[in-house]
């Protein structure tokens, strides 16, 4: 079986957890036929082989990226522009996706990047919480202890199942300094990867370090090449 053969049925049968604390919501785009079609096309295009990928793990999807398209760090417009996958989903604003696709392009484009790496998250579904004006805001699984505790078994199973797609266990890339605490804890428990290297999260870079984007981009590319070399 190929990486795609394992990934497609996993995503297209994902179900939202029912044990989240009050006030924490979840978005499951994989129940939608149009997203299921995107999943099938995306993995069929970039992962129809058995080459092990280096895992690049974020926290959990944002509601404007994978919360819409089902593809990690990927907005509808970036799915069309950089991955060549047509869709009629409305364009969405997502800082993380903007930076990630600068990385993808600097690495050589989507086919080269996805041929070596697998972008994913510790938890596969977008989480939300009501903001002060009543609208939903992005939420992270580690933003409160109750949510972390409720989702930890699902996080463990997410990473275990996804490594079964075909992972290069020598190294994983963690996106986000706080996320590193939880990925390291998980790895100490489960021994999924031999080592973990950490990069600043794309959202942090564009939100707080926008003047230094070129420096961060160079750091990402150097780290990715180092992961492949060692």
């Amino acid at each position: 079986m190929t990486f795609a053969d394992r990934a497609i049925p996993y995503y297209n049968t994902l179900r939202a957890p029912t044990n989240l604390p009050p006030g924490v919501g979840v978005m499951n785009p994989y129940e939608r036929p149009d997203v299921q079609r995107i999943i099938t096309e995306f993995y069929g295009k970039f992962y129809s082989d058995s080459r092990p990928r280096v895992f690049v793990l974020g926290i959990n999807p944002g509601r404007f990226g994978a919360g819409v398209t089902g593809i990690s760090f990927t907005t509808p417009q970036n799915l069309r522009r950089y991955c060549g996958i047509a869709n009629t989903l409305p364009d969405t604003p997502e800082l993380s996706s903007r930076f990630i696709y600068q990385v993808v392009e600097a690495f050589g484009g989507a086919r080269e990047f996805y041929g070596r790496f697998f972008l994913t998250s510790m938890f596969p579904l977008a989480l939300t919480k009501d903001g002060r004006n009543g609208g939903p805001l992005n939420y992270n699984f580690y933003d409160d202890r109750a949510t972390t505790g409720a989702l930890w078994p699902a996080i463990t199973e997410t990473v275990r199942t996804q490594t079964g797609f075909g992972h290069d266990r020598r190294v994983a890339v963690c996106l986000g300094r706080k996320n590193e605490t939880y990925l390291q804890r998980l790895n100490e428990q489960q021994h999924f990867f031999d080592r973990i290297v950490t990069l600043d999260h794309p959202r942090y870079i564009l939100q707080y370090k926008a003047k230094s984007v070129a420096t961060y981009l160079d750091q990402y590319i150097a780290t990715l090449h180092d992961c492949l070399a060692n």
Side-chain angles (χ1 to χ4, degrees):
M1 294 179 69
T2 67
F3 195 109
D5 290 334
R6 296 179 175 93
I8 292 167
Y10 167 77
Y11 283 110
N12 285 344
T13 58
L14 267 179
R15 295 294 176 261
T18 58
N19 63 334
L20 288 170
V24 179
V26 64
M27 298 171 63
N28 185 1
Y30 304 104
E31 296 175 327
R32 296 176 47 178
D34 53 348
V35 172
Q36 292 178 2
R37 191 270 305 168
I38 287 170
I39 292 295
T40 301
E41 185 172 348
F42 178 85
Y43 284 96
K45 182 173 185 177
F46 296 114
Y47 290 90
S48 286
D49 58 71
S50 299
R51 177 192 290 175
R53 264 62 170 192
V54 173
F55 276 42
V56 182
L57 295 107
I59 306 161
N60 48 259
R63 69 191 195 281
F64 293 137
V68 175
T69 64
I71 306 298
S72 292
F73 293 97
T74 303
T75 57
Q77 62 269 35
N78 286 344
L79 191 63
R80 293 189 293 266
R81 179 178 179 183
Y82 297 105
C83 301
I85 295 179
N87 65 87
T88 57
L89 297 170
D91 291 354
T92 54
E94 176 59 68
L95 289 178
S96 294
S97 184
R98 190 188 310 170
F99 181 79
I100 283 294
Y101 276 92
Q102 291 182 55
V103 174
V104 169
E105 286 295 282
F107 193 81
R111 192 168 295 279
E112 182 67 21
F113 179 85
Y114 289 120
R116 308 304 296 270
F117 298 96
F118 175 48
L119 273 177
T120 185
S121 299
M122 294 273 284
F123 181 69
L125 299 175
L127 300 174
T128 63
K129 199 162 190 179
D130 289 341
R132 292 180 180 179
N133 63 358
L137 298 175
N138 283 333
Y139 202 65
N140 299 318
F141 73 81
Y142 56 54
D143 282 345
D144 72 84
R145 290 184 179 181
T147 300
T148 305
L151 291 180
W152 197 250
I155 288 169
T156 304
E157 189 58 30
T158 293
V159 180
R160 176 182 292 113
T161 301
Q162 292 185 348
T163 55
F165 298 165
H167 79 305
D168 184 339
R169 69 164 296 118
R170 296 175 302 165
V171 62
V173 181
C174 177
L175 301 185
R177 301 295 170 178
K178 188 171 182 179
N179 194 36
E180 179 184 24
T181 300
Y182 297 89
L183 183 54
Q184 290 283 12
R185 179 195 301 175
L186 180 68
N187 203 48
E188 288 169 5
Q189 295 171 353
Q190 304 295 331
H191 309 290
F192 291 129
F193 310 103
D194 294 340
R195 66 186 178 101
I196 293 168
V197 296
T198 302
L199 293 165
D200 286 304
H201 196 278
R203 173 168 286 277
Y204 167 81
I205 293 169
L206 287 192
Q207 190 166 354
Y208 299 107
K209 301 290 183 178
K211 293 182 180 179
S212 302
V213 164
T215 299
Y216 282 102
L217 184 59
D218 288 343
Q219 182 184 43
Y220 262 66
I221 296 301
T223 299
L224 295 178
H225 280 297
D226 181 69
C227 288
L228 296 176
N230 294 286

